[in-house]
Amino acid sequence: VDGGIDVPAHPLLVPPTGLTVEAWIAYDDRTIATGAFHWPTIARQNISPGQEVFNFRVPASNNASRTLEFYVRAGTGTQRVSYAFAANEFVPFTHVAATYDGQVLKLYKNGAEVASFTAATANELVNNGGILRIGNGDPVSPGRETWNGLLDEVRIWPMARTAAEIQATMHQSLANVAGRVLTFPLDGHAVDTSNGLVGTLFGS
């Protein structure tokens, strides 16, 4: 299904000193086509080619590669962390989270750390503006970055959360969270239930 949610540009979408992006996902690696390049995307800030602030996705490439990846644009380049997952590992609903504290990137599966990367220097996120796209990515090749499965409870926190913090709320449906937290429960709508950002559904 080639569709997703677009959230208009807003300062809350790019917390400069760190962030956590989390979601419940179901990803079907059994149905990813080979031969053509695919990059199924959970959430991407700024969809202009080469301008993304952060990107949480599966770079399946043209060979159905099974890698969960999170990267950010900070300082003079991009920093990334990845986790190689097994066949069918994410077919059942699984909670995933990605964090960046200004220097260290981490990936979590069901609240447990599974990968980390430490950059040589600390840098704030580069705010290129642009929209937040959930469930899809770069529009240059329609359908190639559509999420291949299901998404629920997509959230963006303005700090790198700890494993304990992730575990404490992963099974909750959140709304009206204090601070600059964005919560998209995806309960039949595209509204952030904590700060009131309103997204637009597109596609089928």
Side-chain angles (χ1 to χ4, degrees):
V1 178
D2 186 19
I5 294 172
D6 282 347
V7 182
H10 192 282
L12 290 174
L13 299 177
V14 187
T17 57
L19 82 162
T20 299
V21 183
E22 62 177 270
W24 282 91
I25 69 169
Y27 175 73
D28 194 351
D29 56 278
R30 302 166 299 185
T31 59
I32 288 290
T34 58
F37 286 86
H38 293 270
W39 302 271
T41 300
I42 298 169
R44 171 173 169 156
Q45 170 58 39
N46 194 321
I47 61 173
S48 298
Q51 296 298 309
E52 57 270 50
V53 180
F54 63 79
N55 203 347
F56 199 10
R57 67 180 187 173
V58 174
S61 189
N62 62 349
N63 58 358
S65 175
R66 294 187 297 271
T67 304
L68 181 67
E69 176 186 71
F70 180 64
Y71 69 90
V72 299
R73 192 169 301 278
T76 58
T78 56
Q79 310 290 345
R80 64 190 66 221
V81 62
S82 62
Y83 167 67
F85 58 90
N88 306 328
E89 183 173 345
F90 289 133
V91 170
F93 257 119
T94 307
H95 188 271
V96 295
T99 68
Y100 177 64
D101 68 0
Q103 187 167 12
V104 180
L105 296 104
K106 295 182 178 181
L107 288 175
Y108 295 85
K109 174 190 171 187
N110 291 330
E113 182 182 327
V114 293
S116 67
F117 173 79
T118 302
T121 59
N123 287 287
E124 292 190 352
L125 292 173
V126 175
N127 191 346
N128 291 329
I131 67 171
L132 168 70
R133 177 163 285 180
I134 297 172
N136 218 317
D138 190 328
V140 172
S141 299
R144 298 290 182 86
E145 300 199 8
T146 303
W147 182 248
N148 200 59
L150 301 171
L151 294 175
D152 201 9
E153 299 292 342
V154 175
R155 303 164 186 167
I156 299 174
W157 303 75
M159 79 291 284
R161 306 186 81 208
T162 66
E165 290 169 336
I166 292 168
Q167 293 164 16
T169 58
M170 59 185 280
H171 291 292
Q172 300 176 17
S173 181
L174 301 180
N176 301 313
V177 180
R180 301 168 63 85
V181 182
L182 306 179
T183 53
F184 294 92
L186 307 184
D187 292 338
H189 60 75
V191 178
D192 150 45
T193 56
S194 288
N195 275 281
L197 301 190
V198 180
T200 301
L201 295 161
F202 69 91
S204 53

